[in-house]
Amino acid sequence: MAMKTGEPSWKWRRLVTIAVVVWSFWMLVGLIDAIDSELNQIIATGLLILIGGSVGGYMGFATAQDVAAIWRTGRALPYRDEGEREP
């Protein structure tokens, strides 16, 4: 069982991000043996941008949430109780 730290759960955001990345890679694999056309190049570029945006957004929102919590609490470990020690 996971310890309660007060940190918000990222389970659903992580699930959606992983699903989008896996789907995008699946589509890119389908383009490997496809005819080399401008449309396929645009589709591949769009999928790579989708992957980058998903992963970048996931990490960016996590960082923004942590920075906001640090500013709000004024502590380096904002999700830990005051008297709690490191394991």
Side-chain angles (χ1 to χ4, degrees):
M1 185 169 132
M3 246 176 59
K4 289 284 186 183
T5 61
E7 185 175 4
S9 172
W10 278 72
K11 182 171 84 172
W12 295 111
R13 289 174 253 194
R14 184 173 29 252
L15 181 67
V16 169
T17 301
I18 290 171
V20 166
V21 169
V22 167
W23 178 82
S24 296
F25 276 124
W26 182 262
M27 293 291 108
L28 282 172
V29 167
L31 288 175
I32 288 176
D33 292 329
I35 298 170
D36 190 19
S37 67
E38 186 176 348
L39 177 61
N40 286 340
Q41 290 175 359
I42 292 170
I43 291 170
T45 302
L47 288 169
L48 291 174
I49 290 170
L50 180 63
I51 291 169
S54 296
V55 172
Y58 177 80
M59 293 186 318
F61 283 124
T63 302
Q65 182 180 15
D66 290 343
V67 167
I70 290 169
W71 281 344
R72 189 178 64 247
T73 62
R75 295 184 293 148
L77 301 171
Y79 302 118
R80 183 174 291 175
D81 290 334
E82 289 285 338
E84 191 178 334
R85 293 182 179 212
E86 288 189 34

